[in-house]
Amino acid sequence: MEEPPAGPPPASASSEQTRLKGHIGHLTRQEEAALREFKKICAEQGLYQPETNLHRASHDDGTLVRYLRARKFVPQDAFAQFKDTEIWRKNNNLDALYERIDIQDYQEARSVYPQWTGRRDKRGIPVYLYEVGKLDSKKMIAYSQATSKSKVKGPSPSRMLRLFALYENLTRFVMPLCSAVPNRPNPETPVDQSNNIVDISKVGLKQFWNLRSHMQDASQLATAHYPETLDRIFIIGAPSFFPTVWGWIKKWFDPITTSKIFILSHEQVKPTLSAFMDISSIPKKYGGDLDFECGMMPSIDPEIRKCLEIPNPKLEELFLTGPTRWVDGSEGDMVALSVGSIDGKPHKEAVATMHSWAVRTATGSSGFQRMHADYFQPMDSNLQGNPPVYQPSSAPPIQSKGDAKSQAQISAPQQAPLGTQAHDLAPSVHISPPEQTQTQPSQPMPPPPVPLTTAQPHPQTAIVPGSESTLPNGSIFQSQPAGLEGQTEMQDGRAAPPKSIAMPPSQLQRTETNFMTPATEPSELKDFQ
């Protein structure tokens, strides 16, 4: 009988250097060549559409690289899995499924699978919790009966369609949100994985046996169609019989995923989890300070909370526990759409906004820094040969809740230029500027690592010669017409930085990747109900 992997992961496993291998922004030359070849193969087979002037690429680089990592950067092997997934997505109409799934059905599925705690580890990766002991026979029988009555039908069983929607939420909602949080480590690399705490304490052998197909569905789905979305699984409270069942559990995963599973003794739980995440993000029952158990609403961590505007507190439950995805709003904001259906009627509602200054700060956007240069000042460096790195001298405050005038108002955009594709458009979000306060950050923003060849969740806002732009503090930035030399001026009389702002070369070399889900139908161009 093969013994399961016991003990915590090595200390190096929690380091950024270890995690970033094979990720966007940290690919070797050979891996970059493999990505180019993979794109070429997919495009030739009609499964990938490169970016053009009219539309974004059909798949972001982070998604493609996940398939390459899963197949050790062998383009042909990655293509075989990618092709299978694209056929599977088409057969199950995954995009439409996520849009129309009954919200109650979705929330019932969420209750029997790993749940996002609302927190991230020290590297910015979302943390999920799965308390298997709560899945008693009564609960699972009720869930099975509910899935059999589901109105959403497809070539796959109803229970699997619900599970598909949960994985779509991970890739469409949680990962883009965590990628956009300011001041996270390595902002050049998208967050494309999750950490899972799996608590199997108080689970008997009979219960484990009865749940085997339920848990197998999730593990095999991830391996086949959502590759490399798992960073670690920490198994807690393993009973004495666990070595007996390990032999068939490990068959659910590929060898790479199996190597990411760590079984912790009671004494190892707190030291291991605290090596990966702050005490404030560890549930209390495992030695931390977080008041969270499965079945509760995610407890959003403060760094995410202060960047969000949720205009109506009653919408927060839909935002966090229902099918939600992001679209691009005006001025680079990310707008969260609650989708699905309620009582058989389609539902689509803007429930939250992630403000553009937070998104662009998170991604280290050089376009953002040039555009809002009066918020950036040089940071002294004693290292010779290093270009000056810019840090925000003040950040525009965010008003999360206030009077009606400060709330996000969704309205239809103006008529699109001829030739613009519907999926390139997103609703316009207008947010009245909050009262201005000038505050100094307690700590300077650390310079991004070099080299960076990276993805950004939003397109850059270019400065058009002779145009005007509104800065976060309300000032008007007016660029000089093409061909004129010297500095630009703001309408309040202050001098803007010179046209040739010295930016770190790494920031000027960054490439753009779309993390957001584009509009799927023309109704997104209209007012939301």
Side-chain angles (χ1 to χ4, degrees):
M1 180 175 60
E2 181 180 350
E3 290 293 323
S12 61
S14 61
S15 71
E16 279 299 289
Q17 184 178 5
T18 299
R19 186 185 80 84
L20 293 172
K21 290 181 179 179
H23 285 72
I24 293 294
H26 301 268
L27 301 178
T28 65
R29 291 183 179 180
Q30 292 80 4
E31 291 168 345
E32 289 177 347
L35 176 58
R36 291 192 295 271
E37 179 65 18
F38 182 37
K39 287 182 177 181
K40 179 181 177 182
I41 297 171
C42 292
E44 290 174 348
Q45 297 298 318
L47 298 179
Y48 171 74
Q49 186 175 11
E51 181 179 8
T52 69
N53 291 333
L54 292 179
H55 56 72
R56 297 168 174 171
S58 59
H59 301 77
D60 63 80
D61 285 0
T63 297
L64 298 178
V65 167
R66 284 198 289 107
Y67 285 86
L68 283 168
R69 285 203 308 269
R71 292 296 175 259
K72 300 181 179 179
F73 282 87
V74 178
Q76 289 291 352
D77 292 350
F79 171 73
Q81 183 176 11
F82 183 73
K83 179 181 177 181
D84 289 345
T85 295
E86 290 300 293
I87 294 173
W88 168 80
R89 291 186 67 87
K90 182 178 179 179
N91 290 342
N92 287 281
N93 203 1
L94 257 292
D95 290 334
L97 167 69
Y98 195 65
E99 294 293 311
R100 68 173 186 260
I101 188 171
D102 185 88
I103 292 178
Q104 183 176 347
D105 288 353
Y106 177 90
Q107 292 174 335
E108 287 176 351
R110 176 181 173 271
S111 71
V112 296
Y113 285 106
Q115 300 172 23
W116 184 37
T117 63
R119 299 305 173 104
R120 302 166 297 140
D121 70 8
K122 295 177 181 179
R123 302 160 299 165
I125 300 175
V127 177
Y128 280 71
L129 175 62
Y130 195 23
E131 295 180 272
V132 181
K134 292 186 175 183
L135 306 183
D136 56 31
S137 58
K138 182 178 179 180
K139 184 178 183 67
M140 296 310 298
I141 290 174
Y143 179 71
S144 177
Q145 291 174 343
T147 57
S148 64
K149 299 176 182 179
S150 176
K151 296 180 181 180
V152 178
K153 304 296 181 182
S156 298
S158 295
R159 75 176 194 281
M160 295 301 294
L161 293 175
R162 291 185 177 195
L163 179 57
F164 299 164
L166 296 179
Y167 273 102
E168 290 295 291
N169 182 263
L170 170 66
T171 57
R172 295 193 190 194
F173 172 65
V174 177
M175 288 178 177
L177 174 59
C178 293
S179 294
V181 179
N183 301 323
R184 68 177 177 88
N186 298 98
E188 76 284 355
T189 302
V191 174
D192 60 1
Q193 293 181 309
S194 65
N195 266 324
N196 288 256
I197 300 172
V198 179
D199 186 345
I200 57 175
S201 59
K202 301 179 182 179
V203 178
L205 180 58
K206 181 179 179 180
Q207 182 182 4
F208 223 114
W209 180 257
N210 291 337
L211 289 171
R212 70 189 186 284
S213 61
H214 176 76
M215 294 186 289
Q216 184 177 6
D217 287 343
S219 57
Q220 291 186 340
L221 176 65
T223 299
H225 301 305
Y226 297 89
E228 281 294 301
T229 53
L230 175 68
D231 180 67
R232 295 284 184 276
I233 294 179
F234 299 108
I235 295 182
I236 293 174
S240 58
F241 65 80
F242 190 73
T244 304
V245 300
W246 172 251
W248 44 270
I249 289 179
K250 70 184 180 114
K251 295 178 182 178
W252 302 345
F253 305 97
D254 60 31
I256 294 179
T257 303
T258 302
S259 69
K260 299 178 179 181
I261 299 175
F262 300 93
I263 301 173
L264 307 180
S265 66
H266 177 74
E267 294 76 17
Q268 294 169 336
V269 171
K270 184 176 180 180
T272 301
L273 295 183
S274 59
F276 282 83
M277 57 196 77
D278 295 330
I279 291 295
S280 61
S281 295
I282 301 174
K284 289 182 177 179
K285 65 190 303 181
Y286 309 121
D289 297 333
L290 179 63
D291 185 15
F292 180 86
E293 294 184 5
C294 282
M296 299 174 64
M297 195 164 71
S299 175
I300 298 297
D301 79 39
E303 289 299 315
I304 296 178
R305 175 72 67 180
K306 69 184 181 182
C307 301
L308 285 171
E309 179 176 11
I310 302 177
N312 185 345
K314 295 181 180 179
L315 298 176
E316 186 159 343
E317 183 176 359
L318 272 179
F319 172 64
L320 293 173
T321 66
T324 307
R325 62 181 176 85
W326 296 97
V327 295
D328 291 335
S330 65
E331 303 298 326
D333 288 344
M334 288 167 52
V335 179
L337 297 185
S338 170
V339 295
S341 63
I342 299 176
D343 296 329
K345 297 180 181 179
H347 166 80
K348 187 174 294 182
E349 183 176 12
V351 292
T353 301
M354 188 83 164
H355 289 285
S356 62
W357 75 268
V359 174
R360 295 189 184 280
T361 300
T363 59
S365 163
S366 58
F368 172 79
Q369 293 182 355
R370 288 193 294 268
M371 197 68 178
H372 306 302
D374 88 327
Y375 281 113
F376 286 77
Q377 62 185 14
M379 183 167 61
D380 293 335
S381 173
N382 296 323
L383 300 178
Q384 296 183 355
N386 283 350
V389 176
Y390 285 76
Q391 64 183 48
S393 57
S394 62
I398 285 182
Q399 183 171 344
S400 59
K401 298 175 183 177
D403 57 31
K405 294 182 180 180
S406 69
Q407 305 306 329
Q409 299 174 354
I410 311 299
S411 61
Q414 298 178 354
Q415 183 66 33
L418 184 64
T420 302
Q421 301 295 316
H423 62 261
D424 294 317
L425 303 175
S428 177
V429 180
H430 304 284
I431 300 178
S432 302
E435 180 180 355
Q436 301 299 318
T437 58
Q438 299 294 328
T439 57
Q440 289 287 340
S442 58
Q443 294 181 351
M445 179 185 297
V450 178
L452 303 180
T453 42
T454 117
Q456 300 168 359
H458 285 278
Q460 300 304 307
T461 304
I463 299 179
V464 179
S467 65
E468 294 183 353
S469 302
T470 303
L471 298 179
N473 64 359
S475 301
I476 303 297
F477 178 86
Q478 184 175 21
S479 65
Q480 291 282 8
L484 295 185
E485 302 296 331
Q487 292 186 331
T488 57
E489 290 185 351
M490 298 180 194
Q491 289 186 355
D492 59 7
R494 288 180 296 153
K499 294 170 67 176
S500 57
I501 298 175
M503 300 298 295
S506 59
Q507 294 189 9
L508 299 178
Q509 295 169 0
R510 294 181 176 182
T511 57
E512 174 186 315
T513 296
N514 168 32
F515 291 111
M516 303 301 106
T517 305
T520 58
E521 55 187 48
S523 65
E524 289 195 3
L525 308 181
K526 302 177 182 178
D527 292 343
F528 293 102
Q529 301 300 321

